[in-house]
Amino acid sequence: MDKTTDKTHEKAMKTEEGSADVVHLTHLTNPESIYHLRLGFSSLASTPQSSKWYLYLMWPVTLWTSLMTWFYGKTFVLETNNFKMLNLQSWVIPRFHVQYVFKWQRETLNKFIEEAILEAELSGVKGDKLNKFGELYIKSYPQLKIKIVDGSSLVVAIVLNSIPKEDKTTQVLLCGKLTKISYAIVNALCERGTKVTTMYKDDYDNLQSKLSSESKKNLVFPGSYTAKIWLVGDQIKEAEQKKAPKGTLFIPFTQFPPKKLRKDCFYHTTPSMLAPSSLVNMHSCENWLPRRVMSAWRIAGILHALEGWNVNECGDFMFSIEKIWQASLHHGFRPLKINPLVN
């Protein structure tokens, strides 16, 4: 059903690794996620990632695959796409999300990422998109010609534009771990006059230190669980979700979605946009996102290459939120609308 012709598909698949203009660097989420890749089962890859009962029957294969990636894994090219004049590639680091939590795995993970960046540099890649902040690698290799983009500015822009405007929202509740992205979201909302509430004094103090004197009046502590718009970060507690009023809209600003504990509430997708039809060879889903929907972190690198922005976006630096939002719309990416009838 995809409009991409067989000829275009074959051309894209024959593209050499070294000819990529933009590289999206990602990793596996859990042991079963390998079945959802294009090299796994096409029937699973074409639908959003979710647990299937029959995958539990394949635990011997899953265990063997996990061990192979753990001890002998090497970064590999997952997908090749074409958009306008750019050749896009997704590279997978053979490590699972849980491994990023272990301190004793950091050296190995940093080595994988470092090797991928250097390989991209040698291959002549124009831009590299990292899921984690890439400031460490820029400092280690200041002579790098490629630019590292963590996509934080587009994430902020998508979250801000996901807040319903027709409801004239005047108050939101911020939950979860504070990050570079959450600081930027709170700052933008407070500047536009929206009240941002938090239930934790430490978070309030940290946020206050980042705001201008004029914006500080719109940051409220203690907050209230009665807000109908919740901005959700990592480590949100299940007990907090249960306190949300009926009809609450949860808007995550993280790469991983929160658990959907409430059937009487609505959950927005993680920051993402619908890809334009001219972006070809998109046959598989990106993790739990619907088909032809791309994460903000992935789109950001593409936009930087299209616009010729010769800057790194990583560490504490964040690109212009309004500029990258307008660029995304200009190049055909469209925001997702939550369907109140389907949750």
Side-chain angles (χ1 to χ4, degrees), residues 11-12 14-23 80 82 85-89 91 123-126:
K11 180 181 178 181
K14 289 180 181 178
T15 302
E16 297 179 2
E17 291 186 21
S19 64
D21 296 302
V22 180
V23 168
T80 300
N82 298 103
M85 300 300 292
L86 298 180
N87 292 321
L88 317 173
Q89 289 186 354
W91 294 5
S123 300
V125 174
K126 298 176 183 177

Side-chain angles (χ1 to χ4, degrees), residues 49-219:
Q49 182 177 327
S50 61
S51 297
K52 300 289 191 298
W53 66 269
Y54 50 82
L55 291 181
Y56 292 109
L57 302 178
M58 299 181 64
W59 69 265
V61 178
T62 305
L63 178 60
W64 177 81
T65 303
S66 300
L67 293 175
M68 288 294 291
T69 58
W70 191 294
F71 293 107
Y72 305 105
K74 182 181 179 182
T75 302
F76 59 92
V77 179
L78 171 66
E79 187 174 83
T80 300
N81 309 105
N82 298 103
F83 183 47
K84 297 188 176 181
M85 300 300 292
L86 298 180
N87 292 321
L88 317 173
Q89 289 186 354
S90 292
W91 294 5
V92 176
I93 295 176
R95 287 295 183 268
F96 303 108
H97 175 66
V98 68
Q99 291 173 275
Y100 283 75
V101 180
F102 301 137
K103 291 184 178 180
W104 56 275
Q105 277 284 302
R106 288 181 181 176
E107 184 177 348
T108 302
L109 291 169
N110 286 335
K111 184 178 179 181
F112 270 116
I113 297 174
E114 183 176 334
E115 289 176 349
I117 292 175
L118 294 179
E119 183 178 347
E121 174 77 1
L122 292 173
S123 300
V125 174
K126 298 176 183 177
D128 187 15
K129 211 295 299 166
L130 285 180
N131 283 343
K132 297 294 183 181
F133 301 158
E135 190 175 31
L136 170 66
Y137 309 104
I138 294 176
K139 290 182 178 179
S140 299
Y141 299 95
Q143 73 280 10
L144 285 176
K145 295 181 180 179
I146 63 173
K147 298 303 175 183
I148 298 177
V149 181
D150 63 28
S152 54
S153 57
L154 185 58
V155 173
V156 174
I158 291 175
V159 171
L160 293 175
N161 285 279
S162 296
I163 299 175
K165 295 181 175 61
E166 59 272 16
D167 294 339
K168 296 182 179 180
T169 304
T170 58
Q171 178 177 297
V172 299
L173 176 65
L174 182 73
C175 299
K177 182 180 178 181
L178 293 182
T179 63
K180 164 187 176 180
I181 291 172
S182 59
Y183 284 122
I185 292 173
V186 171
N187 184 64
L189 288 174
C190 288
E191 285 186 352
R192 68 166 62 164
T194 301
K195 299 290 184 183
V196 179
T197 66
T198 177
M199 303 302 295
Y200 300 97
K201 185 63 166 61
D202 289 343
D203 289 352
Y204 174 78
D205 292 337
N206 288 330
L207 289 167
Q208 279 275 324
S209 65
K210 303 286 185 179
L211 298 177
S212 64
S213 56
E214 182 66 23
S215 298
K216 286 181 179 180
K217 64 182 181 181
N218 290 320
L219 183 64

